[in-house]
Amino acid sequence: MEEWRLQFPEVDEPSMVFGGYPRDWFDSVMKIESKPEDRKWNDMMESLFFNGGKVPVNETLPEEYRTNGLRMLRAVIGSFEPKHEHKEKVCGLILKSLCSY
């Protein structure tokens, strides 16, 4: 099985806290075609968005990658701008990158 992961730009503290994220990065991720099996990541995003919780990150990934990914996840989830459906898709792909083995 081929490993698939997003590349995450760095996200600073204010962006993470106030929901700022690189719009060009977000737009490029929106162009990625979702697969039916990715629905589980969107469901995880919905659960985190509405209920909170802990992200089951793949601990074998490099620490910097995990940190940048979690910061991006928080920045996108905390943002008011994108439509919820777009936020769900991008956050699902972030979770797929961070949690899959």
Side-chain angles (χ1 to χ4, degrees):
M1 181 164 113
E2 185 178 319
E3 190 173 290
W4 176 91
R5 304 241 185 253
L6 292 175
Q7 296 302 309
F8 301 115
E10 288 188 30
V11 177
D12 60 15
E13 286 286 328
S15 295
M16 185 179 64
V17 172
F18 297 110
Y21 54 87
R23 304 296 191 256
D24 55 338
W25 180 86
F26 186 91
D27 293 342
S28 70
V29 174
M30 277 297 299
K31 293 177 185 174
I32 297 172
E33 187 174 331
S34 294
K35 299 177 182 174
E37 61 268 19
D38 291 340
R39 184 70 220 164
K40 69 180 180 180
W41 305 113
N42 293 27
D43 291 344
M44 182 187 291
M45 179 278 181
E46 288 288 325
S47 179
L48 289 167
F49 183 82
F50 290 111
N51 306 317
K54 184 172 173 25
V55 178
V57 176
N58 176 348
E59 297 294 330
T60 65
L61 296 171
E63 183 177 355
E64 182 179 3
Y65 184 84
R66 295 188 319 250
T67 299
N68 288 341
L70 288 170
R71 285 174 170 249
M72 184 62 73
L73 181 67
R74 289 183 68 186
V76 174
I77 283 180
S79 178
F80 290 105
E81 282 194 14
K83 292 181 179 179
H84 186 78
E85 302 81 42
H86 296 171
K87 189 184 296 192
E88 178 182 306
K89 177 182 179 175
V90 171
C91 288
L93 291 170
I94 293 170
L95 289 167
K96 178 181 178 181
S97 293
L98 290 173
C99 303
S100 62
Y101 285 83

